[in-house]
Amino acid sequence: MTDSRYLKRTILKDEINSRFLGETRTLRIYLPPGYNEILSYPVVYCQDGEEFFNFGRIATQANRLILDEGVEPFIIVGVEVNTKIRTQEYAPFGNRFEAYTACFAEEIIPYVEQKYPIRRDASSRILAGDSLGGSVSLHLALLYPQLFNRIISLSGAYYEASQEIIARERDLSHLRVWMTVGLQEDAFESDTGIYNFVELNRQCADLLRERNAEVSYREKDGKHLWGFWQNELPDALMYFLDRA
């Protein structure tokens, strides 16, 4: 993707003071080609925001989808995270999980929607994340179903604690989840142990389907790396975003 049209991007940096987290959190905001404040846009919120922009090349990919594939223009919000405490914020057993999810839903969403012309319905908000970022995106949809019902999960880290939470749900028919996992992720070593991510994602997909969620699931050759996820992003985005 070396076409100059794809590389000409508008990316802003905002900061939000969070009373839940007791700190400032940085947001990266991508504005689409032809951005106009009198229009309204769907939005993709990315966990691990810095990585989605730097390694997922999501802004460049968005330009290509909008300019060449006819996808309706959309805004991207990358929520940055301190990798040293990432598990504590993203995992349901983490000691900052409640604060992070509250910050996301009750501070970040209102801030972004007040400042930018974003549609304020759940079907226009897409949550995207890799590994634990995928699982925290799903947890946000379970905690705040009135806000979120569209999830992009790249090799989601659906550990036992997450599966137990999903299993307690009865009806997830409002939820749409796009999932992918790499077949070479069957013995991935994380900071909490070694896991078979292929099996974890299969189990999660089954739990969601049993509760009537719409699940688009795929397994492909790939490792637990951005080299795999970057290639999956266009299909994931096009699954949820309409043609203009």
Side-chain angles (χ1 to χ4, degrees), residues 84-124:
K84 294 179 181 178
I85 55 173
R86 179 177 181 270
T87 296
Q88 299 307 315
E89 292 188 351
Y90 286 3
F93 49 78
N95 59 20
R96 291 170 61 92
F97 176 78
E98 290 185 7
Y100 177 73
T101 51
C103 167
F104 199 102
E106 300 177 39
E107 294 177 325
I108 293 174
I109 299 298
Y111 169 84
V112 172
E113 293 187 352
Q114 183 178 16
K115 186 171 182 180
Y116 299 96
I118 288 171
R119 295 173 197 159
R120 303 188 180 191
D121 58 280
S123 62
S124 295

Side-chain angles (χ1 to χ4, degrees), residues 28 43 72 85 89 118 126 141 164 167 172 185 195 198 203 214 223:
R28 295 191 183 204
V43 59
E72 180 183 16
I85 55 173
E89 292 188 351
I118 288 171
I126 302 164
E164 289 175 354
L172 295 176
E185 298 184 61
Y195 298 94
V198 180
Q203 292 168 353
E214 178 185 309
K223 298 180 180 179

Side-chain angles (χ1 to χ4, degrees), residues 63-80:
N63 271 8
R64 186 187 69 79
L65 292 176
I66 293 166
L67 295 172
D68 289 356
E69 301 295 335
V71 169
E72 180 183 16
F74 59 100
I75 288 172
I76 302 168
V77 178
V79 182
E80 297 193 4

Side-chain angles (χ1 to χ4, degrees), residues 197-210:
F197 269 66
V198 180
E199 189 59 33
L200 290 178
N201 277 264
R202 287 174 184 169
Q203 292 168 353
C204 179
D206 287 343
L207 285 169
L208 292 170
R209 289 189 182 113
E210 288 165 5

Side-chain angles (χ1 to χ4, degrees), residues 28-203:
R28 295 191 183 204
I29 315 291
Y30 158 87
L31 303 178
Y35 173 75
N36 190 327
E37 291 184 351
I38 68 171
L39 302 177
S40 64
Y41 298 91
V43 59
V44 179
Y45 288 94
C46 302
Q47 319 294 339
D48 293 297
E50 184 175 7
E51 292 198 351
F52 262 85
F53 278 89
N54 290 345
F55 304 136
R57 302 185 69 193
I58 191 169
T60 303
Q61 301 212 47
N63 271 8
R64 186 187 69 79
L65 292 176
I66 293 166
L67 295 172
D68 289 356
E69 301 295 335
V71 169
E72 180 183 16
F74 59 100
I75 288 172
I76 302 168
V77 178
V79 182
E80 297 193 4
V81 66
N82 180 346
T83 56
K84 294 179 181 178
I85 55 173
R86 179 177 181 270
T87 296
Q88 299 307 315
E89 292 188 351
Y90 286 3
F93 49 78
N95 59 20
R96 291 170 61 92
F97 176 78
E98 290 185 7
Y100 177 73
T101 51
C103 167
F104 199 102
E106 300 177 39
E107 294 177 325
I108 293 174
I109 299 298
Y111 169 84
V112 172
E113 293 187 352
Q114 183 178 16
K115 186 171 182 180
Y116 299 96
I118 288 171
R119 295 173 197 159
R120 303 188 180 191
D121 58 280
S123 62
S124 295
R125 301 185 191 102
I126 302 164
L127 298 178
D130 63 282
S131 196
L132 275 174
S135 62
V136 76
S137 294
L138 180 56
H139 283 298
L140 278 163
L142 300 181
L143 289 167
Y144 298 92
Q146 74 279 13
L147 293 180
F148 311 114
N149 57 30
R150 304 284 192 267
I151 308 296
I152 292 173
S153 172
L154 307 169
S155 305
Y158 298 109
Y159 301 145
E160 183 178 355
S162 291
Q163 295 198 25
E164 289 175 354
I165 291 170
I166 298 168
R168 290 198 292 267
E169 298 286 335
R170 293 188 177 183
D171 180 17
L172 295 176
S173 57
H174 64 286
L175 199 60
R176 295 180 64 195
V177 186
W178 188 99
M179 303 175 67
T180 191
V181 66
L183 290 169
Q184 285 72 51
E185 298 184 61
D186 54 347
F188 177 74
E189 184 175 357
S190 76
D191 58 351
T192 59
I194 298 175
Y195 298 94
N196 184 335
F197 269 66
V198 180
E199 189 59 33
L200 290 178
N201 277 264
R202 287 174 184 169
Q203 292 168 353

Side-chain angles (χ1 to χ4, degrees), residues 7-46:
L7 301 177
K8 187 178 180 181
R9 304 156 303 173
T10 300
I11 301 174
L12 311 176
K13 276 195 176 182
D14 288 5
E15 288 189 343
I16 181 171
N17 292 314
S18 171
R19 63 182 177 87
F20 290 107
L21 294 172
E23 64 184 37
T24 298
R25 188 57 54 104
T26 301
L27 309 177
R28 295 191 183 204
I29 315 291
Y30 158 87
L31 303 178
Y35 173 75
N36 190 327
E37 291 184 351
I38 68 171
L39 302 177
S40 64
Y41 298 91
V43 59
V44 179
Y45 288 94
C46 302

